[in-house]
Amino acid sequence: MSRSYSQDFRIAIEKLDPFDPGVALGLACVEANLPAKYVAPVLNVSRMTVHGWFRGNAIRTKNKKMVEALTRIIREDMEKGVLPAATVADAKAWLRSVVGQD
């Protein structure tokens, strides 16, 4: 698996508002073991943009629905036991399936 989220990062985002869409996405990605590097292309943004959202930075209106939808899908698949991803390949495959690139 690629480098996982650091303990400092995990602690930092857990202190933020979990109802903020970007923070909620960050918490879901950490729990689901989905690296921002691979989440970013799904949302058509940069990795740094995703990390900013994880830390509570504002999300443009055009991206907000996609962020909320992806967060919801991640949570649903966590409940079903499909996630967390065990490997980078699993994370990439899961994210491709979300956007219909299987």
Side-chain angles (χ1 to χ4, degrees):
M1 189 72 195
S2 64
R3 194 174 88 184
S4 62
Y5 296 102
S6 72
Q7 189 64 23
D8 289 341
F9 176 77
R10 292 169 185 251
I11 291 167
I13 67 169
E14 287 175 1
K15 293 179 181 178
L16 300 173
D17 178 9
F19 297 105
D20 177 279
V23 175
L25 176 63
L27 292 167
C29 287
V30 166
E31 188 177 346
N33 206 19
L34 298 172
K37 176 180 180 177
Y38 305 113
V39 172
V42 170
L43 298 171
N44 294 315
V45 297
S46 72
R47 178 184 58 83
M48 293 309 295
T49 296
V50 171
H51 274 287
W53 293 344
F54 286 3
R55 290 177 170 87
N57 290 356
I59 300 173
R60 291 183 182 187
T61 304
K62 70 178 187 168
N63 295 320
K64 192 171 182 179
K65 286 186 181 184
M66 283 289 292
V67 167
E68 291 170 337
L70 182 57
T71 303
R72 185 176 55 254
I73 293 166
I74 292 169
R75 292 282 177 215
E76 288 170 357
D77 280 2
M78 288 291 294
E79 289 176 13
K80 293 176 189 173
V82 175
L83 292 172
T87 65
V88 170
D90 291 343
K92 287 180 182 179
W94 185 86
L95 288 161
R96 280 193 307 270
S97 75
V98 167
V99 294
Q101 294 179 349
D102 274 345

